[in-house]
Amino acid sequence: MRHVIALDVGGTGMKAALVGDDGALLHRARRATGRERGPDAVITAILDFAAELRAYGLEHYGEPAAAAGVAVPGIVDERHGVAAYAANLGWRDVPLRALLSERLGVPVALGHDVRTGGLAEGRIGAGRGADRFLFVPLGTGIAGAIGIDGRVESGAHGFAGEIGHVVVRPSGTPCPCGQHGCLERYASASAVSEAWAAACGEPEADAADCAKAVASGDPNAVRVWRQAVDALADGLVTALTLLDPGTLIIGGGLAEAGEVLFQPLRDAVRRRVTFQKPPVIVPAALGDTAGCLGAGLLAQDLLATTPTTPEVST
């Protein structure tokens, strides 16, 4: 049975699957990255995990994987297969595609985690059937994936979609990127958690707690939530003006609030648009499996565009 390896590398853990030609998940597995042992240990863990997956496929399906797709965080040079920078993994200029190709003996595709998740949401998730979409997960930070005709745009330097660093509050809160007033300093799950913890006096309170308090009518929570939604709407309308997507897919931890987020967000975006055509705003459908499913799509795309005899990177 022909299949591919799909691997989603996070800050602390890795999710993986063997994916059949029909998209079926044949096998799933998880491992820790081992980042506490340093960046070299993380690379070793990825290579060993991929080799285990290859061996599993050979044993259970009669042949090894035909290709592999890997999604990683940070700055990714997808064209050259290099993980250029990842602060939470301690990486700089890791030639991950070449290392995996050599270990596995098959073609390997390397992708950015958010763009890879966006690819899956666009093709088989909430954006299925949309030829232009924008995927925006609201988590620890905010990033984006720009979907165009079944693919995701990475940009000339691998930075496309970084909507979290659109300035929505000039001269506002400092951001680690060096600017002030970036969107993710106001509308990410971590920003809402921080604001709500300060407002309610509970250091352990988080964005989910804020959403529950909003649903119960707490005025402090409503104020914190409105500020986040207003900032998010400002950033999204900037993106809509530039990109004109037909579908806007919102994911990440903050989206788990459901209509507590989506109803006021749709209203806030509608109030801000003038000549722009408002997109359909929908929740992401694939959850934390999006990155792994997207990595499988990257691998399958690679098989569709490479010779049957793999060229192993060295």
Side-chain angles (χ1 to χ4, degrees):
M1 180 183 295
R2 196 172 84 153
H3 61 278
V4 297
I5 293 170
L7 181 57
D8 181 17
V9 179
T12 59
M14 299 181 283
K15 296 185 287 288
L18 298 182
V19 184
D21 275 351
D22 59 354
L25 297 179
L26 305 174
H27 170 68
R28 300 189 198 189
R30 291 178 181 252
R31 295 286 186 279
T33 61
R35 68 173 183 173
E36 68 279 359
R37 299 193 301 275
D40 289 342
V42 176
I43 295 169
T44 299
I46 292 170
L47 296 176
D48 289 348
F49 191 20
E52 287 179 29
L53 294 163
R54 180 187 186 280
Y56 185 97
L58 180 60
E59 179 181 353
H60 290 83
Y61 305 114
E63 60 182 280
V70 185
V72 298
I75 298 170
V76 183
D77 181 346
E78 294 166 343
R79 182 176 301 173
H80 297 99
V82 174
Y85 177 70
N88 55 358
L89 295 175
W91 281 354
R92 282 191 182 275
D93 297 325
V94 177
L96 195 57
R97 184 176 68 193
L99 292 172
L100 280 163
S101 291
E102 183 176 3
R103 183 70 174 267
L104 299 174
V106 296
V108 175
L110 182 68
H112 180 271
D113 55 354
V114 172
R115 289 195 291 268
T116 302
L119 179 68
E121 284 289 354
R123 284 200 200 168
I124 61 176
R128 178 180 286 188
D131 62 350
R132 298 288 191 279
F133 70 88
L134 178 63
F135 169 57
V136 181
L138 309 173
T140 303
I142 299 177
I146 302 165
I148 304 171
D149 292 333
R151 64 180 182 84
V152 172
E153 174 61 42
S154 61
H157 307 96
F159 298 151
E162 289 292 347
I163 188 176
H165 296 289
V166 169
V167 173
V168 294
R169 299 291 180 265
S171 303
T173 305
C175 179
C177 80
Q179 299 186 116
H180 288 73
C182 288
L183 176 60
E184 70 175 40
R185 300 302 297 145
Y186 297 91
S188 62
S190 57
V192 174
S193 296
E194 183 179 341
W196 177 234
C200 72
E202 295 289 340
E204 300 303 316
D206 61 15
D209 298 322
C210 185
K212 291 175 185 175
V214 170
S216 67
D218 184 299
N220 278 334
V222 170
R223 174 181 55 81
V224 168
W225 200 257
R226 183 182 297 120
Q227 289 172 347
V229 169
D230 283 345
L232 181 56
D234 288 340
L236 291 176
V237 169
T238 297
L240 302 182
T241 305
L242 291 171
L243 303 172
D244 188 28
T247 303
L248 176 56
I249 306 166
I250 305 294
L254 213 59
E256 294 175 6
E259 287 304 302
V260 172
L261 172 67
F262 283 93
Q263 188 57 57
L265 179 61
R266 292 184 184 110
D267 292 342
V269 169
R270 193 176 301 114
R271 289 194 302 270
R272 285 163 172 76
V273 298
T274 54
F275 66 89
Q276 306 94 332
K277 293 290 186 182
V280 177
I281 301 176
V282 297
L286 302 177
D288 69 354
T289 66
C292 193
L293 292 169
L297 292 173
L298 288 179
Q300 289 170 338
D301 287 352
L302 199 58
L303 288 177
T305 57
T306 55
T308 54
T309 301
E311 293 182 6
V312 180
S313 299
T314 58

